[in-house]
Amino acid sequence: MNMKAIVLVNRILCLLFIVSFLSACNEGLDDSIKEDPYKGGKTPFGIQLKDEAPSPESANPEDLVEFKAVGLENHWNPDTKKAEFKFFLSEQEVEVVNVTESSVTIRVPKSISTGSSYIEMEGQIFYGPTLNILGNVSVDKSYGLWRTQRVTGGVIFNYLKGDNLDNACYILGEFTAVGPHIEWIYDRGGIALIDKQGLVAPRYSSGFGIGHGASSFVTSEDGYAISSRLLSMSYVNNSAKNILLSGYYDEYESVENIFNITVLKNNVALETKDIQLPRRLTGKLEWKKVPSFNGGTLEQVLLSFATSDEQVIAVGNFTQYCRNDYDNSFYEIIKRNYKEVGPIIRMNMAGELDTEYRVGKSKPEGEIKDAVMDRDGNVIIAGNLSAFDGEQVFNLLKVNTASGELDQTFKSNIGSGVNGAISMIRYNTTLDKFVIVGEFTEVSGEPCPGIAVINGDGTLDRTFIPREIEGGKISFASLLDLNKVVIAGTFSKYDGVMRPGFLILEADGEAMQGFNVPGQFSGQIYQAVETYATTGFKGLLLLGDIYRFNGETARNAVMIELDF
């Protein structure tokens, strides 16, 4: 026998030995191990926490609640009232009070939010149903935008309460559809009117005299269309109740040549005028509809408003002012004029730039992230800013809109300012206070973990003391007229208690249990509107990019009822 044959025989003998060894080992194993261990839904330890509604289905803190379960009686000592397992509710371990062959009874903790239940036994997890925690906050499921009419296709950034429209409000953003199914076929162009029941006004109706809102034909460098984005809406102080609309768009109701800001009628139809322009080839004059407001910016407008003397203020990270030059245009081609500008510009109601406003101001160092107008008509700017108008600033500043100058009193009062970028600022006119959130840890030298309340004069409101935040960060905060602070974000714990992403705080930063019972929140809130629920009680309309609230699916708008 040659060497190759010997090697081949040895390999065959080794293979036969391995097969024989494995077969012998398998004969000693339990049949259940040979099978798929998950086949038939076998449960380790024989434990099951049934996915049935607990009794009661909703409970207050310190109530006793019974869950349907099997297999736990073998892991419970009735004499010592001690269990070998742990019971969790909303990710919080709770007290087990009693166990039977078919149930387990727990005591709801004093501080807790709505959440799911599960049992942990030697590293194994057995999931159960959700328990709803009762309190002063509940979802208004009769509200139209929750019940039958949804906002889809984009975010809601802002709102404007309707003038004499019985508690209705306009919502604006970059959404494409809103309403019942039959309405979804129409592109809403980022604007809609919602009545007090949460129902969407039909197109071309009273208070909403349009069929399609804003659009944009701008394309990115890679050739993709950039959608329109509506960010700011405010009334002009005139008898006609005109409306300023700004954001990022170049067309409204099929009328082109808009530069991110325009003036609307009081039913949000575009203010237009007809002009005659020559055809390029024939020179024949033809009528063309153009926006009455002729002016704007190359970049998006973060905030716009009209002053008491009906001058228009616009705020953003601007480099160029734009205006249509109709005197040198053709019907087919509109010529545009440009002028270099800074972050705050002033125009008249025709859109003409005030070239004497803020003349000679240097460009800011950094980026404006957000801005609001205070009750005196001045602009508060927030962002990632180290210099403004040639002066050192610390991410938060105030500009007197009449003079265009930095408010030195505000600057002095804020002192060392905010030591990190501010992502959002919201202002309460009634209380004359701001709330900021962002990537900062100190304000005016005081510890502030990404949230702070600022008085109207720039001083830190030291009565608001945020508690420890765990598991994420705060991405939204707003101060209510009720002197409570609404916050939301990715955090999981506040002050050591599981609070999954949404809270209503007292003025001092305490999370009172009764107002913090909602369960899981996911998404980004941009506005919290104080209004009324469909029941007539106080309500809070949450707007943004919201896809879960209290553990249920949401689509960007949620009305919650507040029981005060």
Side-chain angles (χ1 to χ4, degrees):
M1 182 180 293
N2 60 31
M3 184 60 66
K4 288 184 178 180
I6 294 172
V7 170
L8 179 60
V9 169
N10 287 338
R11 287 180 177 176
I12 293 172
L13 290 173
C14 287
L15 180 61
L16 290 172
F17 173 77
I18 291 170
V19 171
S20 175
F21 176 78
L22 292 176
S23 177
C25 290
N26 282 340
E27 288 177 4
L29 293 176
D30 184 273
D31 287 342
S32 63
I33 303 301
K34 291 182 184 179
E35 299 174 0
D36 179 356
Y38 300 102
K39 185 177 180 181
K42 293 184 179 180
T43 306
F45 307 115
I47 293 174
Q48 183 182 6
L49 184 58
K50 295 187 175 181
D51 191 20
E52 298 179 17
S55 179
E57 295 184 24
S58 301
N60 288 297
E62 300 193 276
D63 283 354
L64 298 182
V65 179
E66 183 181 83
F67 289 80
K68 300 296 183 182
V70 294
L72 294 177
E73 71 276 9
N74 297 325
H75 307 284
W76 166 255
N77 188 323
D79 297 325
T80 61
K81 301 291 184 181
K82 297 292 183 182
E84 297 174 1
F85 58 88
K86 294 180 180 180
F87 196 105
F88 290 84
L89 185 60
S90 189
E91 299 296 331
Q92 184 173 339
E93 186 178 355
V94 301
E95 177 190 358
V96 177
V97 176
N98 191 40
V99 174
T100 69
E101 293 181 355
S102 59
S103 70
V104 54
T105 301
I106 60 97
R107 188 184 305 278
V108 180
K110 291 182 179 180
S111 297
I112 195 168
S113 300
T114 295
S116 59
S117 61
Y118 66 88
I119 288 172
E120 188 271 327
M121 177 77 175
E122 295 185 15
Q124 297 286 337
I125 303 296
F126 308 90
Y127 290 98
T130 294
L131 177 66
N132 183 52
I133 304 299
L134 297 172
N136 304 80
V137 175
S138 59
V139 176
D140 183 354
K141 295 187 176 181
S142 295
Y143 193 71
L145 289 181
W146 178 278
R147 180 170 51 86
T148 59
Q149 306 190 21
R150 303 295 180 91
V151 179
T152 61
V155 184
I156 305 173
F157 287 116
N158 218 328
Y159 73 98
L160 177 67
K161 289 189 176 181
D163 182 62
N164 297 322
L165 289 176
D166 192 20
N167 209 35
C169 74
Y170 297 101
I171 58 172
L172 57 152
E174 57 183 12
F175 52 86
T176 56
V178 56
H181 293 289
I182 193 171
E183 287 283 317
W184 290 2
I185 62 174
Y186 301 118
D187 187 344
R188 285 291 182 146
I191 186 169
L193 176 62
I194 313 298
D195 71 12
K196 64 181 180 181
Q197 298 296 320
L199 302 176
V200 181
R203 305 191 312 160
Y204 303 111
S205 60
S206 176
F208 195 75
I210 62 171
H212 172 76
S215 56
S216 174
F217 290 98
V218 179
T219 56
S220 60
E221 293 181 357
D222 54 7
Y224 288 96
I226 301 174
S227 63
S228 60
R229 183 182 306 115
L230 301 182
L231 299 173
S232 177
M233 196 174 184
S234 60
Y235 286 107
V236 176
N237 186 27
N238 60 20
S239 58
K241 290 295 182 185
N242 289 114
I243 295 171
L244 270 176
L245 180 67
S246 58
Y248 188 76
Y249 65 106
D250 55 20
E251 181 178 300
Y252 190 88
E253 278 291 283
S254 300
V255 178
E256 301 174 356
N257 301 302
I258 295 173
F259 305 107
N260 302 316
I261 182 171
T262 197
V263 174
L264 310 177
K265 300 176 182 178
N266 61 7
N267 66 347
V268 300
L270 183 66
E271 281 279 13
T272 62
K273 63 181 180 180
D274 293 320
I275 62 173
Q276 284 188 307
L277 293 174
R279 287 282 183 180
R280 186 179 182 186
L281 296 179
T282 66
K284 180 182 178 181
L285 292 176
E286 292 207 24
W287 291 100
K288 187 178 184 71
K289 181 180 291 186
V290 298
S292 296
F293 189 88
N294 181 17
T297 59
L298 195 62
E299 297 84 6
Q300 75 174 4
V301 179
L302 292 173
L303 171 72
S304 67
F305 60 92
T307 62
S308 58
D309 57 352
E310 297 187 11
Q311 297 293 304
V312 174
I313 301 292
V315 183
N317 296 290
F318 307 141
T319 61
Q320 299 286 326
Y321 164 81
C322 310
R323 183 173 171 83
N324 297 310
D325 181 5
Y326 295 125
D327 292 336
N328 296 292
S329 295
F330 293 100
Y331 184 90
E332 300 90 345
I333 302 174
I334 304 297
K335 182 182 178 181
R336 296 172 177 178
N337 294 329
Y338 299 89
K339 183 175 178 59
E340 187 173 341
V341 293
I344 306 175
I345 63 174
R346 184 163 68 188
M347 298 167 281
N348 63 20
M349 289 303 297
E352 295 173 308
L353 180 68
D354 183 346
T355 57
E356 301 300 318
Y357 186 69
R358 290 180 48 81
V359 174
K361 301 296 184 184
S362 59
K363 293 182 179 179
E365 294 181 16
E367 182 183 6
I368 299 173
K369 296 285 189 180
D370 205 357
V372 293
M373 180 185 70
D374 71 10
R375 63 186 180 189
D376 297 321
N378 300 312
V379 176
I380 310 299
I381 292 175
N384 188 14
L385 296 159
S386 59
F388 196 91
D389 290 352
E391 298 187 36
Q392 185 181 28
V393 295
F394 301 96
N395 302 316
L396 185 66
L397 57 106
K398 182 177 183 177
V399 175
N400 184 298
T401 54
S403 65
E405 301 291 334
L406 271 176
D407 188 310
Q408 296 299 329
T409 301
F410 187 94
K411 183 181 177 184
S412 175
N413 286 342
I414 203 164
S416 58
V418 184
N419 74 337
I422 302 170
S423 57
M424 185 181 294
I425 181 170
R426 293 293 177 263
Y427 176 65
N428 183 285
T429 305
T430 302
L431 301 176
D432 189 27
K433 291 184 179 183
F434 310 92
V435 186
I436 57 173
V437 297
E439 302 296 329
F440 54 86
T441 57
E442 290 185 3
V443 176
S444 301
E446 297 288 335
C448 295
I451 180 173
V453 177
I454 311 293
N455 295 314
D457 63 359
T459 57
L460 177 66
D461 182 352
R462 289 177 168 81
T463 63
F464 177 77
I465 304 173
R467 308 317 195 248
E468 184 182 7
I469 298 161
E470 300 177 61
K473 65 179 183 179
I474 299 172
S475 61
F476 169 82
S478 183
L479 182 61
L480 306 180
D481 288 350
L482 300 165
N483 207 19
K484 295 183 185 295
V485 182
V486 179
I487 67 172
T490 57
F491 57 87
S492 57
K493 281 188 177 182
Y494 184 86
D495 199 15
V497 178
M498 290 299 301
R499 304 292 189 188
F502 178 83
L503 280 173
I504 298 178
L505 306 178
E506 296 298 305
D508 63 357
E510 183 182 2
M512 298 293 288
Q513 169 62 34
F515 293 100
N516 294 289
V517 295
Q520 181 191 10
F521 166 84
S522 300
Q524 173 66 57
I525 296 177
Y526 286 100
Q527 301 292 340
V529 187
E530 291 183 82
T531 181
Y532 291 92
T534 58
T535 58
F537 291 101
K538 290 184 182 296
L540 196 62
L541 178 59
L542 307 176
L543 304 171
D545 186 13
I546 307 168
Y547 40 94
R548 288 193 78 79
F549 189 87
N550 198 34
E552 298 184 68
T553 300
R555 290 188 178 92
N556 303 332
V558 179
M559 175 69 80
I560 60 176
E561 183 180 310
L562 304 176
D563 182 12
F564 286 97

